[in-house]
Amino acid sequence: MCGIIGYVGNRQAQPLLLDSLSKLEYRGYDSCGLAVGGNSIKVFKNAGRVEELRAASPLLQGTVAIGHTRWATHGSPSSINAHPHVDCNGRIAVVHNGVITNYQTLRQRLIIEGHNFVSETDTEVIPHLIEKHYKGNIEKAVEAALGEIEGSYAIAVLAAKDAKLVVARKGCPLIIGVSDRENFVASDVPALLEYTNSVIYLENGDIGVITADSIKITRDGIEVDRKEEKIFWSIEDVQKGGYEHFMLKEIHEQPRAIRDTIEECLSSNSSPVLGRNIENLSMVACGTSYHAALIGKYVIEELLAIPVAVEIASEFNHRRRQPIPTSTAIVLTQSGETADVLVAMKRLLEVARTIVVITNVPGSTATRIAKQTVYIKAGPEVSVAATKTFTAQLIALYQLILSCPSLNRRICKRLVAELRTMPSAVQQVLNNESEIMDCARILSQYDNAFFIGRGISFPIALEGALKLKEISYIHAEGCAAGELKHGPLALAHKDVPIIAITPQDSTYEAMVTNIKEVKARDAPVIALVDETDGIMEQLADFVIRVPHVTSIFSAVVNAVAVQLLAYYAAKYRGCPIDFPRNLAKSVTVE
Ligand code: AGP
């Protein structure tokens, strides 16, 4: 999953592209490059971040250009493997996001036909294929080349002496930014917001030819019309706003994100997702969104007694057994572009009467596959580690459950009232940041850790462990506390801190026992406790207090606490918090 950018207009392209590429780095940041057109194509690329590229690159004059920031799939991060890649004569340059699955076969054949390859990448076959098919018309050559390619792609192509870009997508997102006497192309909206908020979403199979004054989109050679849409995010939304890291900014945006998501769900007049006659439910997601789905399962089964099957999308896709027919499938994906999830949605189309997607990104591919879309209003999330989109997903799930007509009205009324207090409850956790920082300083000294919880706190234990792993590189495991004695307890040790999530609910007594079990093995314990808790201080080494809320909502306040714990532990370890190694924000390859 890489970031692609392109520009054609009247301004010098290089500075524009460097600015936009820096806003796409959450999609991949191990190497990057530019190609600027004109009579000849000038390419400059290097391993490392966009700021290093900006510092090292010579002035590349020209008003048409393409750029790329990479998350390596084929070939190590290096200036040779970085994009753009060119043909034998350097007259065609290509940037690509996706995976060419038949590149080995194409490469062998092209080498026999006399093409020289310099990189280890799958992408390099594209400019050579275009060169092979080029007979004076670049878009025709691109179309012919794509006819031979298998796999997924979003590409932008630049040819010498040609003041236009040819772009295409299949499986990976690509957006055209429409402006006055100049146009852009990008993998994602944040790269465009500084220049325009008018966009066209390319569909799978579309090929676009873009000049400074025109945009022509074809599909199978026939011109098609694609709607121009407005984006309601601002450039401020994708800037740090004075915070040291996007992650900390986004953690602090949660009261607003929750409030806006509540308003969005209340104002949407779509029919309730969970009608009266729901027999069973399937939920599919990846990573943090999967943890939100698990919490949805606990709450739906507790309040509505509807059986819920929760699946990790990549496992769901590899299941040989046919998926179970389900009345409704709920898919959670903040980006709406996660390849594993999109493949799962296509599989669900065969067995689910209705597919509902809960997502944060308008116009994303998942919204085009789903029958119904529930938007969360977290605003763009730049930091690779998901935070505000997680709590906003929980809020959307609660709303969805509380709008189920079969729920007891009195219970529903009470829970809806409490849901509206979540923004201030989360603000209380944020106000308690210093206590969490102290615990994080302790935690940052260890290389291994366990998060434990029961019931609705088990998925929060999984989420806490994921956050800590992602950004601090501490090896952390989320464990159902009841499972400790079935094996993991063997690792309880003075050098392995335990973060215990212990809300005042039906799991409390059992959690006290678990904490005594690990304390008996000298493990340091950090307990996340209810502000009313009077016991845990004697038992645990450190406590983090969160506001008292009804059990089903404890997931929200505890989520924010584990996010801050992970953030500060990573900060004290000096980790690159927003751009952790080997990861990317939107995983657009399987
Ligand atoms: C979470 O911090 C990670 N970035 C990752 O696990 C993420 O949740 C996963 O890739 C799913 O992304 P999605 O919600 O955009 O589909």
Side-chain angles (χ1 to χ4, degrees):
M1 37 270 154
C2 308
I4 285 177
I5 186 76
Y7 171 79
V8 54
N10 306 295
R11 295 192 274 171
Q12 283 303 310
Q14 184 177 15
L16 303 178
L17 258 57
L18 287 167
D19 290 349
S20 290
L21 274 180
S22 64
K23 294 192 181 62
L24 284 176
E25 275 195 306
Y26 60 88
R27 301 179 61 87
Y29 32 88
D30 57 41
S31 50
C32 48
L34 289 175
V36 177
N39 283 340
S40 66
I41 293 186
K42 292 79 69 182
V43 175
F44 190 82
K45 48 189 185 171
N46 72 348
R49 305 284 301 274
V50 172
E51 282 327 301
E52 293 152 66
L53 181 76
R54 188 193 299 273
S57 64
L59 184 61
L60 306 172
Q61 297 273 0
T63 59
V64 56
I66 54 178
H68 185 270
T69 180
R70 184 170 183 239
W71 188 88
T73 55
H74 297 73
S76 59
S78 69
S79 56
I80 298 283
N81 290 332
H83 300 204
H85 289 285
V86 295
D87 66 323
C88 296
N89 308 312
R91 302 185 60 72
I92 296 166
V94 173
V95 290
H96 166 230
N97 173 25
V99 171
I100 310 290
T101 48
N102 64 338
Y103 84 101
Q104 295 281 35
T105 323
L106 295 170
R107 188 179 171 114
Q108 292 320 317
R109 212 187 60 224
L110 287 161
I111 289 171
I112 294 163
E113 293 166 7
H115 291 259
N116 304 321
F117 283 76
V118 296
S119 80
E120 304 159 86
T121 67
D122 55 331
T123 301
E124 196 182 354
V125 293
I126 306 176
H128 288 283
L129 273 176
I130 296 171
E131 177 185 27
K132 174 178 169 230
H133 291 287
Y134 187 72
K135 301 189 177 38
N137 178 317
I138 189 70
E139 57 260 36
K140 287 262 172 288
V142 170
E143 198 171 339
L146 294 176
E148 299 196 47
I149 285 173
E150 289 161 21
S152 63
Y153 57 78
I155 62 168
V157 180
L158 176 65
K161 291 195 173 52
D162 223 335
K164 66 175 168 241
L165 299 177
V166 180
V167 300
R169 76 156 289 188
K170 186 179 142 230
C172 298
L174 202 57
I175 304 166
I176 297 174
V178 185
S179 189
D180 180 29
R181 293 184 318 107
E182 59 183 12
N183 289 310
F184 299 79
V185 63
S187 297
D188 206 348
V189 165
L192 300 171
L193 285 175
E194 189 150 359
Y195 312 113
T196 178
N197 66 347
S198 287
V199 300
I200 295 174
Y201 293 93
L202 286 176
E203 302 271 353
N204 282 336
D206 285 358
I207 296 180
V209 179
I210 308 171
T211 69
D213 309 303
S214 69
I215 295 167
K216 186 180 86 178
I217 301 171
T218 59
R219 192 193 183 89
D220 307 326
I222 298 152
E223 189 151 355
V224 289
D225 183 28
R226 295 284 177 245
K227 206 158 52 63
E228 194 175 312
E229 302 181 39
K230 285 279 176 236
I231 296 290
F232 299 103
W233 289 345
S234 70
I235 187 69
E236 284 71 35
D237 287 333
V238 291
Q239 288 165 341
K240 282 190 194 146
Y243 285 89
E244 187 182 354
H245 295 102
F246 281 106
M247 184 177 178
L248 189 61
K249 175 198 175 209
E250 288 155 6
I251 289 175
H252 280 267
E253 284 180 335
Q254 293 184 95
R256 191 265 317 144
I258 290 171
R259 205 172 293 114
D260 290 359
T261 301
I262 291 174
E263 291 319 315
E264 168 71 14
C265 294
L266 285 177
S267 61
S268 97
N269 44 28
S270 53
S271 56
V273 171
L274 300 180
R276 278 191 189 287
N277 319 319
I278 296 265
E279 303 104 34
N280 63 358
L281 266 174
S282 288
M283 300 174 94
V284 176
C286 300
T288 288
S289 297
Y290 168 72
H291 298 151
L294 278 177
I295 290 166
K297 170 185 170 70
Y298 278 88
V299 179
I300 291 169
E301 292 182 347
E302 180 179 330
L303 294 182
L304 304 176
I306 298 171
V308 181
V310 181
E311 310 262 1
I312 293 172
S314 53
E315 279 307 305
F316 181 74
N317 299 340
H318 290 306
R319 167 155 310 145
R320 296 177 61 71
R321 172 172 65 72
Q322 267 309 311
I324 306 155
T326 181
S327 46
T328 300
I330 300 175
V331 170
L332 291 99
T333 168
Q334 82 85 17
S335 64
E337 299 292 354
T338 301
D340 289 332
V341 169
L342 300 180
V343 172
M345 290 180 81
K346 295 202 180 101
R347 241 180 148 221
L348 282 167
L349 285 172
E350 299 149 27
V351 294
R353 271 208 305 274
T354 304
I355 299 181
V356 178
V357 67
I358 298 179
T359 187
N360 188 42
V361 180
S364 57
T365 307
T367 64
R368 294 154 210 259
I369 303 171
K371 192 148 174 219
Q372 189 175 349
T373 298
V374 174
Y375 283 111
I376 59 175
K377 287 289 187 183
E381 188 171 63
V382 175
S383 177
V384 168
T387 54
K388 60 179 181 174
T389 54
F390 177 61
T391 49
Q393 284 170 333
L394 297 184
I395 298 302
L397 284 166
Y398 293 139
Q399 291 274 149
L400 198 147
I401 296 161
L402 296 178
S403 56
C404 176
S406 57
L407 181 63
N408 170 295
R409 288 302 93 202
R410 198 176 40 73
I411 294 173
C412 178
K413 205 155 168 286
R414 177 172 60 75
L415 293 175
V416 167
E418 185 172 352
L419 184 66
R420 285 188 167 285
T421 68
M422 281 305 112
S424 59
V426 165
Q427 190 55 55
Q428 284 179 57
V429 180
L430 298 173
N431 299 345
N432 188 20
E433 202 161 357
S434 59
E435 185 177 64
I436 299 174
M437 288 164 76
D438 298 344
C439 293
R441 196 181 291 284
I442 308 289
L443 183 58
S444 68
Q445 294 150 26
Y446 294 89
D447 293 328
N448 298 285
F450 270 99
F451 285 74
I452 60 172
R454 286 172 178 259
I456 201 170
S457 301
F458 167 44
I460 295 298
L462 294 173
E463 179 57 12
L466 177 61
K467 288 283 103 59
L468 195 64
K469 271 184 284 217
E470 278 189 278
I471 60 171
S472 75
Y473 310 150
I474 294 173
H475 174 235
E477 197 173 324
C479 182
E483 277 297 288
L484 275 176
K485 55 188 175 298
H486 302 292
L489 195 61
L491 295 179
H493 183 270
K494 63 176 178 47
D495 295 337
V496 183
I498 308 283
I499 297 93
I501 300 152
T502 58
Q504 288 291 338
D505 64 14
S506 58
T507 68
Y508 188 78
E509 291 314 318
M511 285 303 294
V512 168
T513 308
N514 289 126
I515 290 172
K516 288 180 178 164
E517 272 170 10
V518 293
K519 282 305 301 166
R521 279 85 183 172
D522 301 331
V525 173
I526 298 172
L528 271 63
V529 301
D530 193 296
E531 61 193 342
T532 60
D533 189 303
I535 296 171
M536 207 50 81
E537 216 130 21
Q538 280 79 46
L539 266 182
D541 301 276
F542 311 96
V543 295
I544 293 173
R545 295 186 180 283
V546 296
H548 175 71
V549 294
T550 299
S551 159
I552 65 166
F553 297 133
S554 65
V556 178
V557 288
N558 284 320
V560 178
V562 295
Q563 292 164 358
L564 283 169
L565 198 59
Y567 171 81
Y568 282 107
K571 185 169 159 45
Y572 297 136
R573 289 165 74 98
C575 298
I577 289 170
D578 283 337
F579 303 108
R581 67 185 181 217
N582 306 340
L583 298 180
K585 182 66 185 169
S586 171
V587 185
T588 55
V589 293
E590 281 182 78

